[in-house]
Amino acid sequence: MALLSPLNLVNDLLLKVFNQETINYAVWPLIQIGLVVTLVALWVAYATYLERKISAFIQARLGPMRVGPWGLLQPIADGLKLLTKEDFVPEKADRWIFFFAPYIAVAAAFIVFSVIPFGPDWAVITDVNIGLLLVLAVSSVGVLALILAGWSSNSKYALLGALRSSAQMVSYEVGMGLALIGALMFSRTLSLSGIIGAQGSDSIWFIAYQPVGFLLFLVAGIAENNRAPFDLPEAESELVAGFHTEYSGMRWSLFFMAEYAAMVVVASVATTVYLGGWYVPFVNRLDTNGYHNLYVLVCVLAFVIKASIILYIYFWLRWTLPRFRYDQLMDIGWKWLIPAAIINIGWSAVTVFLAQALDTWGVLDTIQHVGYRLDLTAKGKGVVIGMGLVGLALTGVLLSRINWRSRDFHLKTQRRNIRLVDVPKGKPAVAVAERS
Amino acid sequence: MHQVEIATTQETLLDSPEMILNMGPQHPSTHGVLRVVLKLDGETVIDLDCDIGYLHRGMEKIAENRMYTQIAPYWDRLDYIAAVSNGLVWVETVEQMMGLAVPPRAHYLRTILTELNRIASHLLWLATHALDIGAVTVLLWALREREEILKIFERQFGARLTCHAWRVGGMPNDAYDDFNSDVRTFVNNFPKRLDEYETVLSENRIWLSRTVGIGVISAEDAIAIGLSGPALRGSGVPWDVRKSRPYAAYADVDFDIPLGENGDTYDRYLVRLEEMRQSRRIIDQALEKLPDGPVNAKLPKIVKPPAGDYYHSIEGPKGEIGCYVVSDGSAQPWRVRVRPPSFVNLQALKQMCVGHLVADVVAIIGTLDIVLGEIDR
């Protein structure tokens, strides 16, 4: 009860102004929204700090060190700097679209947080029964902002960046959506809390059932966020800054925030669907022992840590890999990712069928309980995990069959070593003085 | 500014499948102030034109009004990444005009320091080339090693970039006290660092797919255009001035020439990496054989080469850098002309780029390893 009392205190205070119904349906959600937006914005800001630090350590340097201890205040200093910078609008830009594009980007990224379950109970703003669909739908609005920004800037670099980003995000959304379907077959719900619940009741993360799906989602997520090695829309060495070439000051930083917020979204969805979300084994004892709010906080912390691990993978990849080319990106999207996702769907269906069939045939005792969701016994989990690993191999084999004829598949054999030759030396061109 | 002549249709942007994209002079990866006007169909390059001259400082004209010994610092500003090599071509040209024999120690020190400079230049090339293709981390790793070389330069010459390394007839001063041990440390540590780059890039699928088969130029075309240096050797032509007309102390050291096969960006990448290994080998041998003695030849008060015209070239990091000097017997050259490797190598850009995508243009500019200071002079 330790942490519950402050909430009750606030509730009592609110009761003096509103009735309990208003508080439940309007005041508490608003407080939740305010908190989530603030905290997520802070998370986003410190994600930039972390990225700078991690990239610095990868590159044998220190990163931000001057503003505050270990440069911890750097994101705040950056924000202040960007707020005070000139917000420049090119003369021939389409003014209104140019103004509103960044807001669309940020809004699309932040709206998704309304359904992300950061923890149980009060740590989720709302639990929509089509949560995952909503996440995909809203985050794909983000591409609109990029296109509008690129188009309204009236700059060729921005236009090229916008074209690239629209092609990229449209094709990777397909792969992303298809990659998630495999996991949905096990959760049997689109509600994000429901997906976590399914993993909690099975006490296993879906990454074990769906290794292929997880990998596909990670890759598609990077592409969806326009992050390296898929950061073509803003490929700085080719397109200067891509779709936000003409943006400056706070409007630019809104795009920047949207990018990081979208990363946090993808990391959160990956955590929710594949890494068990806020679910941590044994922690619910806190709940049953009466420390409900502490339990929620621990779960939120677990969620943030898991999502941050995925963010770290993103940073790591960005600072390690070179950038793909536009056509290669499309190849990966359509010739690798989408076939793999379709194979994964088929294989997951076979897995679910087999897990149930083994039980009905009486071969193996796999099913604990069939109802709203599929509850597996330990043997059943073993079967599904085994099938998942087989699926990993199967996907690899099928993909290599599909792409056997493509040029890029045999890159390593195309690579030839250089040869070293020793050419006989010609007549020296310079005179050497006698040794004195 | 000269008119860039690319035929444009009179249609508007929407009707026409073609788009003119102006790349540079302010662009992150045109390596200075190169302006490339691209004619694009979608993102495919169908035509391009280079516009140079944004960094023109009239070096060759300035040289006509300077004494022979005064010209050397200007040469540092040609290819400012390889100032030591550039300085060497000037002083060696003058020494040949004068018929001056330089003491062997000076020759050896010149060999060591120009090879260090070659490594530094190749490291900067690797850094920026990888950055252009998107591998940002290699940039800082390569600059870390380059820093070690620049520290040696700073202690030896008093400057890091534009060193004014040589004097006609030898060196301004002998090697500093810890020179041998500093160079030795670098030579010993460097191979490990090179292997690090190789682990990040050479086997990397993305790197391979971005470089294999990109910007291919055949040996015949390379010779016809007049490419030199790693760009030529990447196409498999065994031409290296250090071998064909050895200068400094190159006649006394053993080294191999790395040759590519396909003449693509990946081959040129491998050639440059191997060249760094060979440079290290050269430094190693030269340091071993480094003779004692003076570092300066006796020089008249005023350098007045006899009338006539002279050409001398050395193998700079970017290719064959040559100096053509016409003397009228006075203390100032009558006419100076530099053969800039970057300028000649840049001519291959169009042939390499047409048919590739915008992203490849950046990779190809990187693989040609141009320096605008040298192109524009």
Side-chain angles (χ1 to χ4, degrees):
Chain A
M1 287 317 223
L3 276 154
L4 194 66
S5 42
L7 291 183
N8 287 342
L9 208 69
V10 175
N11 201 35
D12 289 346
L13 276 174
L14 288 170
L15 265 176
K16 288 177 182 162
V17 191
F18 310 104
N19 57 17
Q20 186 63 46
E21 212 162 62
T22 324
I23 294 171
N24 284 351
Y25 288 99
V27 180
W28 277 119
L30 278 175
I31 293 174
Q32 274 181 316
I33 291 169
L35 257 177
V36 165
V37 168
T38 319
L39 291 179
V40 165
L42 205 67
W43 191 5
V44 166
Y46 276 88
T48 67
Y49 170 79
L50 270 182
E51 165 143 45
R52 292 174 69 173
K53 273 294 184 193
I54 289 165
S55 71
F57 294 147
I58 289 175
Q59 296 170 345
R61 54 193 177 87
L62 287 175
M65 286 297 277
R66 299 297 172 103
V67 194
W70 304 291
L72 269 171
L73 299 178
Q74 186 71 44
I76 294 157
D78 283 347
L80 283 176
K81 182 202 76 173
L82 286 164
L83 271 172
T84 51
K85 273 179 91 170
E86 186 190 354
D87 179 17
F88 181 78
V89 184
E91 195 186 348
K92 291 194 174 166
D94 197 328
R95 208 161 255 279
W96 286 105
I97 302 178
F98 190 83
F99 273 153
F100 280 113
Y103 296 118
I104 297 174
V106 169
F110 272 84
I111 285 173
V112 179
F113 288 107
S114 60
V115 292
I116 299 282
F118 295 98
D121 196 19
W122 49 259
V124 49
I125 296 180
T126 176
D127 180 25
V128 191
N129 59 358
I130 50 154
L132 201 54
L133 213 55
L134 189 131
V135 170
L136 291 177
V138 174
S139 57
S140 49
V141 173
V143 70
L144 180 69
L146 269 54
I147 297 171
L148 289 180
W151 177 255
S152 65
S153 298
N154 199 18
S155 149
K156 286 172 185 171
Y157 286 108
L159 181 67
L160 277 177
L163 287 176
R164 281 179 175 192
S165 68
S166 52
Q168 171 175 343
M169 288 174 92
V170 166
S171 34
Y172 276 81
E173 245 151 41
V174 182
M176 197 174 186
L178 290 179
L180 286 169
I181 290 178
L184 294 180
M185 286 184 194
F186 293 96
S187 73
R188 298 193 173 184
T189 173
L190 277 165
S191 148
L192 289 167
S193 298
I195 293 171
I196 295 175
Q199 296 175 78
S201 70
D202 263 8
S203 51
I204 195 158
W205 295 352
F206 279 162
I207 185 177
Y209 291 169
Q210 286 283 318
V212 180
F214 178 67
L215 289 176
L216 293 179
F217 184 81
L218 268 193
V219 174
I222 300 170
E224 180 75 11
N225 287 338
N226 302 327
R227 294 280 299 179
F230 304 114
D231 60 341
L232 297 154
E234 47 199 295
E236 63 192 33
S237 56
E238 300 147 25
L239 297 186
V240 190
F243 62 90
H244 58 62
T245 304
E246 303 292 343
Y247 280 86
S248 59
M250 203 54 207
R251 239 164 261 285
W252 171 80
S253 78
L254 285 180
F255 273 120
F256 194 63
M257 259 170 73
E259 185 192 323
Y260 277 80
M263 267 169 67
V264 172
V265 164
V266 170
S268 303
V269 173
T271 308
T272 309
V273 180
Y274 294 104
L275 298 184
W278 44 260
Y279 168 71
V280 198
F282 311 119
V283 172
N284 53 358
R285 281 185 197 171
L286 278 175
D287 193 21
T288 44
N289 288 348
Y291 297 100
H292 180 71
N293 287 325
L294 184 65
Y295 164 66
V296 174
L297 283 179
V298 169
C299 286
V300 171
L301 192 69
F303 185 91
V304 171
I305 289 173
K306 285 177 190 174
S308 299
I309 288 170
I310 295 192
L311 284 179
Y312 173 73
I313 294 176
Y314 282 5
F315 299 153
W316 186 16
L317 286 177
R318 172 168 179 190
W319 298 103
T320 309
L321 296 177
R323 183 183 303 120
F324 275 108
R325 210 172 53 204
Y326 180 56
D327 56 329
Q328 291 159 353
L329 177 95
M330 288 291 134
D331 275 1
I332 290 166
W334 292 99
K335 282 158 65 178
W336 292 83
L337 215 66
I338 291 174
I342 291 170
I343 293 164
N344 185 44
I345 292 172
W347 191 250
S348 304
V350 172
T351 309
V352 172
F353 172 74
L354 196 72
Q356 286 173 311
L358 281 176
D359 197 63
T360 28
W361 295 337
V363 185
L364 212 63
D365 181 26
T366 52
I367 305 288
Q368 206 169 32
H369 169 68
V370 187
Y372 172 56
R373 57 171 81 109
L374 203 66
D375 285 332
L376 299 166
T377 60
K379 280 178 195 161
K381 283 175 197 164
V383 168
V384 174
I385 293 170
M387 289 287 277
L389 292 177
V390 174
L392 202 61
L394 181 83
T395 316
V397 171
L398 285 176
L399 278 183
S400 60
R401 281 307 307 162
I402 292 169
N403 293 294
W404 193 255
R405 280 155 187 265
S406 75
R407 176 188 158 271
D408 280 359
F409 192 76
H410 301 285
L411 266 180
K412 290 208 174 159
T413 52
Q414 278 183 31
R415 134 167 219 246
R416 291 204 190 86
N417 274 320
I418 42 159
R419 62 209 152 94
L420 289 174
V421 293
D422 195 3
V423 188
K425 288 202 177 81
K427 190 176 146 289
V430 293
V432 182
E434 287 297 311
R435 214 177 267 226
S436 54
Chain B
M1 200 174 75
H2 89 270
Q3 202 62 40
V4 175
E5 282 169 20
I6 286 184
T8 52
T9 46
Q10 292 301 307
E11 296 156 283
T12 62
L13 191 66
L14 279 177
D15 302 330
S16 159
E18 290 150 13
M19 179 164 98
I20 304 289
L21 184 69
N22 189 24
M23 215 173 179
Q26 289 99 4
H27 186 278
S29 43
T30 50
H31 291 229
V33 285
L34 174 66
R35 177 177 169 223
V36 187
V37 184
L38 300 166
K39 192 166 155 188
L40 302 175
D41 177 10
E43 281 209 30
T44 315
V45 179
I46 44 181
D47 199 3
L48 70 81
D49 198 1
C50 289
D51 188 10
I52 59 170
Y54 291 93
L55 202 59
H56 178 64
R57 291 150 297 173
M59 295 267 194
E60 288 162 354
K61 189 68 189 168
I62 291 172
E64 289 170 20
N65 302 309
R66 295 286 183 278
M67 314 264 272
Y68 280 92
T69 47
Q70 289 175 331
I71 293 167
Y74 287 95
W75 256 230
D76 284 1
R77 275 88 179 159
L78 287 177
D79 176 356
Y80 36 80
I81 293 158
V84 179
S85 298
N86 293 330
L88 187 66
V89 71
W90 176 253
V91 295
E92 284 203 341
T93 309
V94 179
E95 280 157 13
Q96 291 197 13
M97 296 166 85
M98 301 280 292
L100 209 64
V102 176
R105 183 173 170 83
H107 273 320
Y108 272 86
L109 284 174
R110 283 175 174 186
T111 309
I112 293 169
L113 287 159
T114 45
E115 285 308 313
L116 278 176
N117 193 205
R118 183 187 313 280
I119 293 176
S121 167
H122 279 2
L123 281 174
L124 193 76
W125 157 80
L126 179 69
T128 51
H129 188 39
L131 179 69
D132 290 346
I133 296 185
V136 188
T137 296
V138 178
L139 172 88
L140 283 132
W141 286 4
L143 290 185
R144 175 186 61 189
E145 269 66 78
R146 182 167 174 265
E147 188 65 26
E148 299 302 314
I149 297 176
L150 295 188
K151 273 180 194 157
I152 295 176
F153 284 176
E154 194 175 12
R155 293 193 71 181
Q156 174 64 28
F157 306 128
R160 288 156 55 89
L161 204 62
T162 45
C163 305
H164 192 198
W166 322 111
R167 302 292 184 271
V168 175
M171 311 229 338
N173 39 26
D174 204 342
Y176 65 91
D177 288 345
D178 299 333
F179 179 76
N180 281 31
S181 63
D182 278 3
V183 177
R184 182 60 68 192
T185 319
F186 175 78
V187 162
N188 290 341
N189 292 338
F190 190 54
K192 272 184 296 187
R193 300 295 168 82
L194 266 179
D195 292 341
E196 271 181 25
Y197 312 141
E198 290 241 39
T199 39
V200 178
L201 297 178
S202 293
E203 295 280 337
N204 187 323
R205 278 201 81 88
I206 306 177
W207 182 261
L208 281 166
S209 60
R210 284 302 302 275
T211 53
V212 173
I214 303 299
V216 179
I217 193 149
S218 67
E220 290 77 33
D221 289 345
I223 294 171
I225 292 171
L227 294 187
S228 56
L232 178 68
R233 293 190 283 272
S235 300
V237 183
W239 167 258
D240 190 323
V241 184
R242 290 176 294 176
K243 285 281 190 190
S244 53
R245 287 195 80 221
Y247 53 94
Y250 287 105
D252 304 342
V253 289
D254 290 327
F255 61 97
D256 295 326
I257 304 179
L259 291 181
E261 212 167 286
N262 307 325
D264 59 8
T265 303
Y266 188 68
D267 276 5
R268 285 186 284 273
Y269 156 79
L270 286 181
V271 163
R272 287 203 177 90
L273 278 193
E274 185 55 37
E275 262 184 27
M276 285 197 253
R277 292 209 167 85
Q278 296 295 333
S279 291
R280 182 199 158 268
R281 209 174 131 197
I282 295 170
I283 298 168
D284 195 29
Q285 293 173 43
L287 208 57
E288 203 86 339
K289 294 180 183 171
L290 185 63
D292 291 330
V295 291
N296 264 312
K298 270 224 170 300
L299 209 62
K301 276 271 181 295
I302 298 171
V303 177
K304 274 188 181 177
D309 53 341
Y310 304 83
Y311 178 77
H312 176 63
S313 65
I314 68 167
E315 184 73 20
K318 316 271 187 301
E320 179 184 345
I321 177 162
C323 245
Y324 178 69
V325 187
V326 181
S327 160
D328 57 358
S330 69
Q332 293 165 348
W334 185 78
R335 173 78 172 94
V336 178
R337 154 85 186 154
V338 178
R339 184 217 184 265
S342 295
F343 177 77
V344 181
N345 290 355
L346 184 65
Q347 311 309 314
L349 186 68
K350 184 171 171 180
Q351 198 172 340
M352 286 177 170
C353 284
V354 170
H356 288 304
L357 300 177
V358 179
D360 294 327
V361 174
V362 169
I364 292 167
I365 293 174
T367 188
L368 285 172
D369 193 12
I370 51 166
V371 166
L372 269 294
E374 188 179 72
I375 291 173
D376 295 341
R377 295 192 295 291

